[in-house]
Amino acid sequence: MPYDLLIRNGAIIDGSGAPRYRADVAIQHGRIASIGRIRDGAAEVIDADGLVVAPGFVDGHTHMDAQISWDPLGTCSCWQGVTSVVMGNCGFTLAPCHPQDRELYMNSLQRVEDIPVAAMAAGIDWTWQTFPEYLDRVEELPKGINYAAYVGHTALRLYAMGERALTEQASEDELTAMRREVRDALRAGAIGFTTSRSPSHETPDSQPVPSRAADWEEVRQLVGVMGEMNAGIFEIAPERHYEDREAERDYHIRLRDLAVETGRPISWGIFSRRAHPSGLQPQLDLLEETAQRGGRMFGQAHTRPINIVLSFQTQLPFDHFPVWRELRARPLDEQRTALRDPDTRRRLVQAAHDGDSGRRALGGEARPPDYDWIFAFDSVEGPHPSIAQLARERGQDPVDVMIDLALDKDLDAMFLQSVANEDQDEALAVMKNPRCVVTFSDSGAHVSQIMDSSLQTHLLSHWVRENQAFTLEEAVRLITFDTASAWGLHDRGLVREGWAADLTIFDPDRIAPLMPEVTTDLPAGATRLRQKATGIAATVVNGQVLLRDGEHTGALPGRLLRGPAARR
């Protein structure tokens, strides 16, 4: 038989934005060999009648650097039709790293990215120190999907400076060492360099993470290495100037000038927040202004509000209060009994209203919960009524409402607390902006708090099918060709002869994320949120069927995608 895999009778949406057409797709040796009416046979055949055959979805913003050590499939991304991811964002990578710094680094990752230390300690083999050694290990590991990797600033500083990286400026020798590490990482296949200036990124003892201790000249010089090599993308978790517009403008000028000076693309996530009085327009203006001055810059858009998922099985806004902390330390069965006791319940409700009853997750500012922005979450699409609305309708205290909803579902109820992209009109404007790409799942991070691995299936179900804000062809391009092109994955993201055979085959009338669930499937039994999807018939990675109807076939065809400096 001439072909390894033949997909028959599908509606091809090729990722370019062009109208769909009906054809067969033949695959040989991991690549698309032929498209059209194919009469030859194949070792394996998929009948895609009534289904869409699209390029595999590409996610440019994940934190799967640790998870890849223990999760060959690449969940939850693989369940959402994603075939390639970029990890190492926001300055956080597992290499370079001296053995004596591993504990500090894992603790920082737990604080910032909510990756449990116990899972990392049990699941990572730490057979590397340098970034090239880390990439070699990633290449060796069994993988269901493809991975590209940045080198991160926090790791670089700790490697060059030790604990001084937390508080001091780099010496000339230390900066020279970091520049050398960036150069070596790019030559080994790093896709770029990342940093964080975000005030929410702190160590467990509330110090700024090492990248935040660096001055801008250090950042400029490290990005400059990529400029000298004409390779790599600079991704940044940016400073946030919610109230000071002058400071925001100064920061934007620094980013603009860096893009123009180095010639390297710069990217970050663009999210709307109630706390930002100027909205998103200054960031969108910066993208355009940079392009007009000859620089490259693109924003990363999300497809829905970024919400913390709350539940009695994971976390609640009241957990740090002594009365609640004592309750939450008990097994769930004992919590159910206590919540039905009137005296205990009265004390819990009172405690939830005393003082600052909810430091926001992700290191956000401390403030009492706003029950207008906490929602009952019992279906993916909604509607999701706010707890404040339900309290008014029932004539109850909002904390009582949350307790009742939880007890009604045997403490299995979930709630959503909004963090960003609260204005969905603004979020849609970012998705439609030609200088933005749709990505930023944060897969691998915030594992007990946020479940955004499904942003691609949400785009296709909510924005295409339910709201008709995009055609299916437009939406597929946003999460395939556009994302693949932004990160330089130049043989992926289109259904084209000769291109890598990464494909997602789905039913456009059914594709959607399913409700998340709480599991303890991390190493050491650590807790995370997990989410699957419906309507995806098959996912093909490098020519092999990875999943059929969401079930693993046993194949592990994923690859390490090394950056352009390694391919020269």
Side-chain angles (χ1 to χ4, degrees), residues 62-70 85-89 92-97 105 109 115 123-141 143 147-152 155 159 181 184-185 188-191 560 562:
T62 78
H63 291 275
M64 299 179 79
D65 314 64
Q67 182 179 322
I68 193 174
S69 295
W70 62 76
V85 301
V86 181
M87 57 188 181
N89 285 273
F92 300 110
T93 53
L94 295 183
C97 185
Y105 199 68
L109 276 174
I115 306 171
I124 301 173
D125 58 17
W126 293 106
T127 57
W128 62 84
Q129 290 192 45
T130 69
F131 194 83
E133 289 169 345
Y134 172 73
L135 284 188
D136 288 344
R137 180 58 180 149
V138 170
E139 188 156 51
E140 293 170 353
L141 287 168
K143 296 173 289 296
Y147 295 83
Y150 289 109
V151 61
Y159 193 71
E181 293 298 327
D184 289 348
I191 205 162
L560 171 67
R562 296 186 186 259

Side-chain angles (χ1 to χ4, degrees), residues 6 38 167 188 203 214 234 399 401 454 470 505 519:
L6 181 60
I38 298 169
T167 55
T203 65
F234 175 45
V399 183
V401 170
S454 57
F470 300 93
I505 304 168
T519 66

